[in-house]
Amino acid sequence: MVVCGDDALAHRLAAELRDVYGERVTLVVPSAREPHRPRIPPPARALVRAGALLGRVSAAMVRPSPLPSEAPGDGAEPPEETETVRILEAAQPDDAALTEAGIAGAGALALVYDDDELNIHAALRARRLNPRLRLVIRLYNRKLGQHLEELLDQAAAVAALGSGDGGDAEGADASTTVLSDADTVAPALAGAAVAGTSKVIEADGLLLRAVERTPVPPGRPGEPGVCTLALLPASVGEPADASGAATVSAAGDEGPVLLPDETATAAATGCGTVVLETVSYTGRPVRRRWLRGRGAPLASLFSRRLRWSLAGVVGAVLALAVASSLTLGEDPTHAVYLSLLDLFAINDPALDEPAPRKVLQLLSGLTGLLLLPVLVAAAFEGLGTFRSASALRRPPRGLSGHVVLLGLGKVGTRVLARLHEMGIPVVCIEGDPEARGIALARRLRVPTVLGDVTQEGVLEAAMIERAATLLALTSEDTTNLEASLYARSVHPRLRVTLRLFDDRFATAVYRTLRAAHPGALTRSRSVTYLAAPAFAGAMMGREILGAIPVERRVLLIARFAVRGHAALEGRTVAEVLRPGRLRVLAVDTSAPDDPEPDAAGAAATPPPAEERTPARLVHELGDDYVLRPQDRVLLVATRQGLGDLHARNRGTAAGAGTGRDDRAGQV
């Protein structure tokens, strides 16, 4: 694996690939001793071997000490057999640097520079140097990323056809995946706002998290979950605390039992479990009363006093019309018409009319004088209402149990969109009126407070004393810390998740806040820590969505298309189950049934991704559900189980017509 970058994400990604997946990594950085910013002039380039340099600097940049609250392994130790990370210093990822990094023989390349243009140029170079390379590119622009994926995938396909090795190219995954660190961390931060955890994997519309549970006493039912991922040794006592670390009392105890079946789970007593759960918001959802999303609320179009004034004028006109009809014997419709003419002073004077008609005309004129200021007030109020419809909303008075989101930058904007999709009430705080997320907050009609959070009264304006969670996501560590400390002083049991960049500083802050407020939930999060697993999973292949470390072992969350996969197509969920290796979590059944094939044998076209509904969990479908060719399955598997799945599929394809069993394939 080759990783190129100029900030902390590159170093975290290299550590994730080495420690979780056990891969050999070449890290290309502008400077090995300045991991966050390039410091080397353009002509300089040097290959730094892993000897003394890694001994001095890898603790800070290649393999940082995990935070207690956000370590990728949550206390899990790295694999025993790990390869050393090779570091290459290069100011730019040009052809010479990529060639020196071994791009010709690499399996995957990650370009995670903070500059989108630099990543695009490097991706084009890499695709030309190695058309069969799997590319993972960091871009913030979603639309540009989609076009770039199509372009590079097409270039790889054309290169494979031109080289004449189409058969070998089919086995290679030369895909291109464009990711945004802001998009990848948004589900985790939304999960922190909902459930107090950021260890969340997003898959087909589902938010999943792995939690460790204590042994359940006999006769007491356990809490439900999607499935049991692992049975922990009996020596594992208390569950993982906020640091995620579990304590093993004696050496030599048996390791965890991964992916047990129902019989093994029911027979296990006195041991903890790792259970997969869905993350959902169960509080009071946002009440949307807006017209077409952007209009003004009906109740605020006219004030209550103005509405009563208009109602009084209308009632007076009707009363005058009824009086005219009764006293003069006129038709009711004609009486209303005459009253309106008198009201607007456009009728002839009733000089030769009876006295009742003269009195009614005078009263209608007086009512018209009263109507004039009411109409002027209605015009001004309506104009002000529609002006405020395009402005930022203020937090309503009765708001409570909401999330206070501090910072509307790249990350804050994505988190705001995700929280709004989940129906979670949010109040935003931003000091820059021209920030990236202000336009989104205005369009979604999300209450927003403009001001410096370090100034007195800003957090109070966001009703922090009645909030449930504070998400401090600005790019300044001191601002996030100051806001968190002040919020805790106002609301001691407030759930706080703050974004901190420096690892040592974050560790000290986390421990201090946990000791000072043991009854409140505190999480310190780094965007690079949260984004690195998603980038690492994409480098392992598009089907890998994430990894869940369980002590010294790792479980992989993967997604597969059933069509053409002999190990899945036409089988029930129970038949796919391999205890200890493989298990189906959910099935995306949104694609319609395949129609009868026509003369050309054309298959049904699956619906686009934006039209798919969230996947359905296995317990909703049942173990007897037969997987259709158009379905997509969400699996949890060990490395060996995932390898067996690929091997069985390849073995069936190779042995077609020879009578070999597809279950005989091994890795």
Side-chain angles (χ1 to χ4, degrees), residues 127-505:
R127 181 59 80 205
R128 176 174 49 82
L129 295 174
N130 186 355
R132 300 177 61 183
L133 184 69
R134 186 185 304 122
L135 290 176
V136 178
I137 309 170
R138 174 187 182 183
L139 287 181
Y140 183 79
N141 192 326
R142 296 177 178 177
K143 193 171 294 185
L144 177 61
Q146 294 176 359
H147 296 313
L148 185 63
E149 278 188 1
E150 297 174 359
L151 174 65
L152 294 177
D153 285 344
Q154 184 177 0
V158 172
L161 292 176
S163 62
D165 57 350
D168 295 337
E170 290 180 0
D173 182 10
S175 61
T176 303
T177 305
V178 177
L179 296 175
S180 167
D181 50 351
D183 285 331
T184 55
V185 304
L189 293 172
V194 174
T197 179
S198 63
K199 300 165 188 176
V200 174
I201 295 176
E202 183 184 21
D204 291 337
L206 298 174
L207 289 180
L208 304 173
R209 63 166 178 168
V211 295
E212 185 178 334
R213 291 179 178 171
T214 56
V216 179
R220 180 179 177 183
E223 298 180 9
V226 176
C227 72
T228 300
L229 297 178
L231 300 176
L232 301 178
S235 58
V236 178
E238 296 296 327
D241 57 6
S243 66
T247 305
V248 180
S249 59
D253 288 341
E254 296 182 0
V257 179
L258 299 182
L259 302 179
D261 54 12
E262 295 182 0
T263 304
T265 303
T269 58
C271 64
T273 57
V274 178
V275 180
L276 195 66
E277 293 181 344
T278 57
V279 177
S280 60
Y281 177 66
T282 58
R284 185 172 57 184
V286 178
R287 301 178 63 184
R288 300 184 177 94
R289 298 180 178 177
W290 324 118
L291 291 175
R292 301 182 182 271
R294 293 191 180 187
L298 272 177
S300 64
L301 183 60
F302 301 117
S303 65
R304 178 177 297 180
R305 182 178 301 176
L306 183 60
R307 293 197 301 268
W308 279 110
S309 300
L310 290 174
V313 172
V314 172
V317 173
L318 293 178
L320 291 173
V322 171
S324 177
S325 177
L326 294 177
T327 58
L328 302 178
E330 298 177 348
D331 182 71
T333 305
H334 185 66
V336 172
Y337 176 69
L338 291 179
S339 299
L340 290 176
L341 291 179
D342 295 334
L343 182 73
F344 296 113
I346 56 178
N347 197 8
D348 293 333
L351 298 178
D352 299 329
E353 299 290 337
R357 175 73 182 104
K358 295 180 180 179
V359 173
L360 290 175
Q361 189 176 53
L362 292 175
L363 293 176
S364 298
L366 180 60
T367 305
L369 294 177
L370 297 177
L371 177 63
L372 182 61
V374 174
L375 294 178
V376 173
F380 278 108
E381 283 198 5
L383 180 61
T385 299
F386 284 106
R387 279 186 175 181
S388 62
S390 60
L392 295 172
R393 285 188 62 215
R394 301 293 296 176
R397 293 184 178 181
L399 186 64
S400 63
H402 56 285
V403 175
V404 177
L405 176 59
L406 174 58
L408 289 177
K410 291 197 304 182
V411 177
T413 302
R414 295 291 193 253
V415 174
L416 172 60
R418 191 55 190 257
L419 292 175
H420 185 78
E421 291 174 1
M422 298 175 66
I424 301 175
V426 185
V427 175
C428 301
I429 300 177
E430 176 57 51
D432 183 10
E434 303 297 328
R436 188 187 301 267
I438 291 295
L440 178 64
R442 181 181 293 110
R443 179 169 58 86
L444 298 179
R445 300 289 296 161
V446 175
T448 304
V449 178
L450 289 177
D452 187 357
V453 72
T454 60
Q455 300 296 325
E456 185 177 357
V458 175
L459 279 174
E460 285 81 355
M463 299 184 180
I464 193 65
E465 69 278 359
R466 302 172 63 179
T469 305
L470 171 65
L471 290 178
L473 304 181
T474 70
S475 57
E476 297 292 336
D477 286 2
T478 54
T479 301
N480 295 335
L481 177 59
E482 183 176 354
S484 302
L485 293 177
Y486 182 75
R488 274 288 166 79
S489 65
V490 176
H491 189 351
R493 299 188 63 84
L494 179 70
R495 180 186 298 157
V496 173
T497 299
L498 61 156
R499 172 187 177 185
L500 297 178
F501 186 79
D502 186 79
D503 297 335
R504 296 180 180 178
F505 180 56

